[in-house]
Amino acid sequence: MHLTKKITKQFRVRFHSHPTLIVRAPGRVNLIGEHTDYNDGFVLPMAINRSTWIALCPRDDEKVITYSLNRSERVKFSLQKKLNHRGVRWGEYIKGMTWALQNAEYELKGWNGFIGGDIPIGAGLSSSAALELATAKAFSEVSGFEWDGTEIAKLAQQAENKWIGLSCGIMDQLISAIGVENHALLIDCRSLETQAIPLPPDTTIVVLDTTKRRGLVTSAYNERRLQCEAAAKLFDVPALRDVSLEEFETKVHQLDELTARRAKHVITENARTLQAVEAMKNSDAKTLGQLMNESHDSLRDDFEVTVDELNIMVDCARKQEGCYGAKMTGGGFGGCAIALVQANVARQFAKNMAACYRISTGLIPKTYLCRATNGAEVVNYPPA
Ligand code: GLA
């Protein structure tokens, strides 16, 4: 049974009424441009066909009540009382989004919701951004405010930064809000201008989940961001986006060794991302794959956000026939890698990958062939 049917059914069980609509917000992979978003740089993510769905119905009062397929607890709060951090973890993303919308003076109305999703949690595919954006979409539908995907994504990022405490950039929330079917999106994280770019013909992105879940990521992630900001100060610029490779090379001897490596990753990664866009425009899968390989190596050696499982997965992928390139995707420290693969061998590739990774680690990976979808949207009105 499709998840939208399941959540519709469960909604009826819990609320003894029918949901009036279903909203969806997708997870994402990032083709290239890792840890560049909070440096005002370039990223190239695509929204994927794994999502968070909410079946919902407006309420007559100011309450929000939600259940989830994957959890037994309920999340319930009032829009007229000060929100607090008590309650279950998944509820924090819903409350955080609500808090950010209210802070921006959106008039919100109450709703009942039942949530389901198929984005693995904590796997680096942005399940939290998807939950935030699905929540925002639900509010927009029941409260009747206009949906400006970029503005809402900025608020979702605030929820993440200030309510959850992760100093993430804008990428995950923005792609979940405004993804474009069959395209990756080049995002300039300073101007927030975007350009939709299709994958090279006859290629597929395969998601390779190490099943190694991220541990204490928040502190390591926030630390990387601080290191980048410190590096930008040393170059006397607002963000590392403003440092060219030439400038970096002239000044590198003035930086300590660690700061130099962190900065080098970001500066070279921005350049690679723009080269990747050119490669895609030229339908050049080979060059795109090579750039993805270089991105991973830089994340492993200079930015140091990979773990053994990710490196093994990527090594396995690069050995397989039909693989143009592979890298970790998202924040790192566990989670998923992606590979750019010849479409006609993608299934065989996924099979071979599972075997290679299992032999090397003893872990059983998950693999998904994915396609690019639209960002947050109303999917349908469920049958009564
Ligand atoms: C996480 C963050 C993003 C981005 C990536 C790394 O997914 O949420 O903002 O920094 O890591 O590219």
Side-chain angles (χ1 to χ4, degrees):
M1 196 193 294
H2 189 264
L3 269 171
T4 52
K5 279 208 174 135
K6 274 196 197 161
I7 57 175
T8 302
K9 200 170 151 208
Q10 289 303 319
F11 184 100
R12 289 197 193 110
V13 173
R14 290 289 186 181
F15 296 107
H16 309 292
S17 65
H18 300 296
T20 50
L21 77 154
I22 297 181
V23 294
R24 143 190 185 277
R28 63 101 190 88
V29 292
N30 187 22
L31 301 187
I32 195 162
E34 263 358 315
H35 289 271
T36 46
D37 59 352
Y38 53 82
N39 290 296
D40 277 3
F42 301 98
V43 293
L44 192 54
M46 70 185 214
I48 57 172
N49 52 328
R50 294 204 152 238
S51 307
T52 295
W53 283 271
I54 310 180
L56 68 133
C57 181
R59 289 178 62 96
D60 297 332
D61 60 14
E62 79 310 333
K63 292 206 171 58
V64 174
I65 301 181
T66 59
Y67 293 87
S68 159
L69 263 191
N70 308 324
R71 318 270 166 180
S72 52
E73 317 88 348
R74 163 179 90 156
V75 171
K76 179 180 176 186
F77 55 90
S78 161
L79 295 168
Q80 274 161 20
K81 293 201 186 125
K82 196 168 181 309
L83 293 168
N84 61 49
H85 285 278
R86 283 196 293 273
V88 291
R89 178 77 186 162
W90 63 274
E92 292 305 294
Y93 297 98
I94 301 173
K95 284 187 283 172
M97 190 68 239
T98 309
W99 167 84
L101 286 166
Q102 285 185 324
N103 245 2
E105 296 187 351
Y106 283 82
E107 291 283 332
L108 302 183
K109 294 193 173 148
W111 46 277
N112 290 334
F114 203 101
I115 301 176
D118 58 2
I119 310 169
I121 292 169
L125 299 179
S126 293
S127 58
S128 50
L131 181 51
E132 287 153 5
L133 268 299
T135 301
K137 194 75 193 169
F139 272 123
S140 144
E141 289 298 310
V142 302
S143 317
F145 62 78
E146 209 183 302
W147 179 261
D148 175 335
T150 304
E151 284 311 308
I152 300 289
K154 284 193 211 163
L155 294 177
Q157 184 197 8
Q158 270 184 30
E160 200 63 64
N161 292 169
K162 300 198 176 133
W163 190 269
I164 305 289
L166 178 74
S167 308
C168 65
I170 188 76
M171 171 169 74
D172 304 349
Q173 287 75 18
L174 192 55
I175 190 67
S176 184
I178 64 167
V180 179
E181 197 168 22
N182 298 325
H183 292 76
L185 218 54
L186 170 68
I187 304 173
D188 175 334
C189 296
R190 174 167 279 165
S191 66
L192 297 189
E193 274 166 27
T194 63
Q195 208 184 323
I197 323 267
L199 279 181
D202 307 319
T203 60
T204 300
I205 293 293
V206 183
V207 176
L208 306 163
D209 185 348
T210 61
T211 68
K212 163 97 179 152
R213 291 300 173 248
R214 298 168 300 174
L216 289 169
V217 199
T218 309
S219 57
Y221 184 96
N222 292 351
E223 180 194 68
R224 293 300 184 286
R225 185 169 181 157
L226 290 174
Q227 290 168 337
C228 290
E229 284 166 5
K233 269 219 179 93
L234 295 174
F235 283 99
D236 204 18
V237 290
L240 283 179
R241 146 78 175 268
D242 302 301
V243 182
S244 68
L245 205 49
E246 295 73 49
E247 280 166 282
F248 172 74
E249 271 153 16
T250 340
K251 276 205 182 164
V252 64
H253 58 278
Q254 296 173 19
L255 308 181
D256 68 87
E257 194 263 345
L258 185 72
T259 312
R261 281 193 289 122
R262 300 295 189 252
K264 182 175 164 215
H265 165 73
V266 174
I267 294 163
T268 56
E269 185 77 350
N270 273 329
R272 278 188 290 272
T273 305
L274 296 177
Q275 287 165 22
V277 170
E278 282 316 302
M280 285 166 83
K281 287 183 177 164
N282 295 329
S283 301
D284 181 355
K286 209 167 153 232
T287 304
L288 176 60
Q290 270 165 12
L291 291 162
M292 289 167 72
N293 286 342
E294 287 169 24
S295 166
H296 181 87
D297 297 352
S298 172
L299 288 157
R300 183 191 58 209
D301 302 334
D302 288 335
F303 216 65
E304 295 179 291
V305 290
T306 68
V307 289
D308 288 348
E309 288 81 354
L310 280 169
N311 297 330
I312 291 170
M313 189 69 101
V314 162
D315 287 345
C316 276
R318 290 176 184 172
K319 284 188 211 138
Q320 309 299 327
E321 206 196 310
C323 176
Y324 293 109
K327 64 180 270 294
M328 56 152 267
T329 195
F333 307 105
C336 292
I338 52 169
L340 178 72
V341 179
Q342 254 171 39
N344 58 352
V345 299
R347 280 189 194 285
Q348 190 57 43
F349 168 84
K351 261 198 194 152
N352 297 350
M353 277 305 296
C356 177
Y357 182 74
R358 201 180 52 232
I359 292 166
S360 311
T361 61
L363 297 170
I364 299 177
K366 294 211 169 71
T367 58
Y368 316 108
L369 273 52
C370 68
R371 59 187 171 76
T373 69
N374 284 329
E377 60 191 352
V378 173
V379 279
N380 64 18
Y381 291 81

